[in-house]
Amino acid sequence: DNRARFEVELQTPPTSKKNYQIEVKIKDRDLIIKDVLIGEVWLCSGQSNMEWNSAKGIQDVKDELPHANNSEIRFFTVEKQTSLFPQDDCRGRWMVCSRETLKLFSAVGYFFGKKLNQELDSPIGLINSSWGGTNIETWMPHETMEEHPEFAKALQTLSTSTGWDISPSTTYNAMIHPLMPIRLAGIIWYQGEANVGRARQYSLLFQSLIADWRKQWKQELPFYFVQLANYLRSQEIQPDSKWAALREAQSDALSMEGTGMVSAIDLGVAHDIHPKNKQEVGRRLALLSLANTYQRGTYDVPAFLEYRISGNKLILSFDCEVKTATGEPKGFIIAGPDQVFYQATATIQGKEVILESPEVEIPIAARYGWADNPECNLYGTAGLPVAPFRTDK
């Protein structure tokens, strides 16, 4: 075109473990790209919990290193850069998964890709484009921010105070926009910690990001994300929890087609915003994508359906049976007309959980896992945790 850009579309064979090479014939020389695999390519993006690797103390990855040599898994890490304008190129290179390359690659991304490789029997390409401490605004196109009056203020107030430029749209411009020509199988996302305290905005921003990335890629890409883990002090009664509100804002995106969420509410720790069990996070993301994208198996997590009031009891109904990991159900609070919440005693009966409290004569609202660091132990029969929710949104 008039900017001296060109592209070539190649008709590729089906998914194959065969090593191909691409030969580009130029006037006075030939360029040969060797060791090319054909398979599924997934983008892994977000902030530090997506970025974290064995160099950051992830023991699961350290244990994996002796067995990590796998030529069917390929890594591409986008070098951290920012830009005020959308870029056509970025820095990075494809590398074969090995005990050396894995040390610096996303732990969540690796365990996700490893499970896909095993179950699909297909080569897996993983692109890690993440940056610790970034808020969601940095990953959004500038024009999307401008379209929403509510976001316009963020363009002026969120800027550089951390030693590098992570103001709105700058990581999108430098680390996402250059990837647009690549045909992806889907996206996994782990971000939100930097937006705690702005849940209402996040709900709109997150859904706008998903819609805009799909528009830019010209694909209705599967978009699977991690709901934030439990963190900070442990407190069962915390109706004003900002972390719980952000988790709810994340779950709002489930109203969009082709999205899915895995909960990490049982994997966090009070003293560390970076929970170390990345293997289980990656496994859950893989199970979700296998079920929803590849129609392999199911991802069965009980979903809250409705509630009813019976005397001094509030009864929650789920779409499948629930159980506890150990002991009695924990993490429930209920409130009466005065809107004051109290810890509730919970009893499971198949697909229902019956709540009551001596302090609440007429219960009208219930919440589960509604705290920064709630103690939750409710699971589905497949062993996946019930995500925090409330009846009084």
Side-chain angles (χ1 to χ4, degrees):
D1 62 15
N2 58 8
R3 293 178 58 188
R5 296 182 305 184
F6 71 93
E7 63 182 32
V8 179
E9 292 187 4
L10 301 177
Q11 182 65 45
T12 57
T15 294
S16 172
K17 295 183 179 181
K18 176 182 176 181
N19 287 57
Y20 289 89
Q21 67 180 30
I22 300 173
E23 299 181 16
V24 183
K25 294 191 176 295
I26 308 172
K27 184 167 57 174
D28 57 351
R29 64 188 176 92
D30 291 344
L31 171 66
I32 300 177
I33 305 170
K34 299 180 179 180
D35 193 19
V36 178
L37 296 183
I38 299 172
E40 301 291 281
V41 180
W42 284 80
L43 172 61
C44 316
S45 189
Q47 57 181 111
S48 54
N49 272 307
M50 181 61 80
E51 180 185 355
W52 242 229
N53 50 48
S54 67
K56 304 292 186 180
I58 305 298
Q59 188 59 46
D60 290 337
V61 179
K62 293 180 179 179
D63 295 339
E64 188 77 14
L65 292 179
H67 321 287
N69 295 324
N70 186 343
S71 63
E72 294 180 12
I73 298 177
R74 305 293 171 92
F75 299 145
F76 187 103
T77 298
V78 179
E79 185 177 314
K80 292 178 181 176
Q81 289 199 16
T82 61
S83 174
L84 295 176
F85 305 98
Q87 300 298 300
D88 292 331
D89 203 1
C90 62
R91 295 177 183 172
R93 64 187 180 93
W94 284 104
M95 294 185 289
V96 175
C97 174
S98 69
R99 59 184 302 164
E100 294 304 317
T101 59
L102 176 56
K103 290 178 182 178
L104 298 177
F105 194 76
S106 161
V108 168
Y110 167 73
F111 287 116
F112 167 79
K114 179 186 177 184
K115 182 71 172 174
L116 290 190
N117 174 242
Q118 292 172 338
E119 297 297 327
L120 299 177
D121 194 27
S122 164
I124 302 294
L126 301 167
I127 301 174
N128 175 27
S129 183
S130 56
W131 193 330
T134 50
N135 52 55
I136 195 171
E137 289 87 346
T138 68
W139 298 100
M140 299 186 65
H142 191 275
E143 57 269 24
T144 302
M145 299 285 289
E146 286 185 321
E147 288 172 1
H148 297 271
E150 189 169 355
F151 305 156
K153 187 177 180 181
L155 291 170
Q156 301 172 354
T157 59
L158 294 171
S159 59
T160 83
S161 59
T162 54
W164 61 81
D165 182 7
I166 52 171
S167 56
S169 304
T170 53
T171 54
Y172 167 82
N173 290 338
M175 299 175 64
I176 296 297
H177 189 269
L179 306 175
M180 295 299 178
I182 299 174
R183 187 161 184 84
L184 300 176
I187 298 167
I188 58 173
W189 174 264
Y190 196 162
Q191 190 276 337
E193 297 90 340
N195 286 85
V196 170
R198 295 188 289 124
R200 190 174 66 86
Q201 265 196 343
Y202 192 90
S203 178
L204 297 171
L205 287 163
F206 189 29
Q207 293 178 65
S208 295
L209 179 143
I210 295 170
D212 197 90
W213 283 21
R214 286 172 167 173
K215 177 182 176 182
Q216 298 294 334
W217 251 285
K218 299 184 174 79
Q219 288 180 255
E220 286 299 308
L221 292 166
F223 198 108
Y224 304 134
F225 56 94
V226 182
Q227 190 183 49
L228 296 186
N230 46 314
Y231 175 56
L232 295 176
R233 66 190 187 281
S234 180
Q235 186 172 337
E236 293 188 25
I237 301 174
Q238 200 176 359
D240 60 345
S241 167
K242 294 179 180 180
W243 281 76
L246 198 287
R247 294 183 192 111
E248 181 180 70
Q250 292 178 301
S251 69
D252 289 343
L254 293 174
S255 63
M256 303 178 69
E257 290 289 333
T259 61
M261 181 183 80
V262 302
S263 176
I265 199 64
D266 57 337
L267 302 177
V269 289
H271 63 275
D272 193 347
I273 201 171
H274 304 115
K276 297 296 191 291
N277 190 353
K278 304 303 188 198
Q279 185 168 13
E280 179 60 15
V281 175
R283 187 186 78 90
R284 291 176 184 177
L285 283 167
L287 290 176
L288 176 60
S289 65
L290 285 167
N292 291 4
T293 301
Y294 301 104
Q295 290 73 54
R296 302 283 186 97
T298 58
Y299 191 79
D300 293 326
V301 179
F304 165 69
L305 296 177
E306 59 186 3
Y307 74 96
R308 67 183 190 275
I309 299 167
S310 177
N312 67 340
K313 297 179 175 62
L314 191 148
I315 302 171
L316 304 171
S317 297
F318 295 85
D319 64 352
C320 61
E321 290 189 0
V322 294
K323 64 178 183 178
T324 63
T326 56
E328 299 299 315
K330 299 177 180 179
F332 288 98
I333 56 177
I334 58 175
D338 60 1
Q339 300 180 25
V340 178
F341 282 87
Y342 297 90
Q343 183 176 336
T345 300
T347 305
I348 296 175
Q349 290 187 0
K351 297 181 181 180
E352 296 185 335
V353 177
I354 303 169
L355 306 177
E356 58 183 317
S357 170
E359 288 88 359
V360 181
E361 185 176 350
I362 305 174
I364 65 168
R367 298 182 181 185
Y368 173 71
W370 205 266
D372 296 346
N373 186 12
E375 187 176 5
C376 298
N377 66 345
L378 199 64
Y379 291 80
T381 54
L384 296 168
V386 174
F389 67 90
R390 58 173 170 166
T391 68
D392 61 320
K393 183 174 181 181

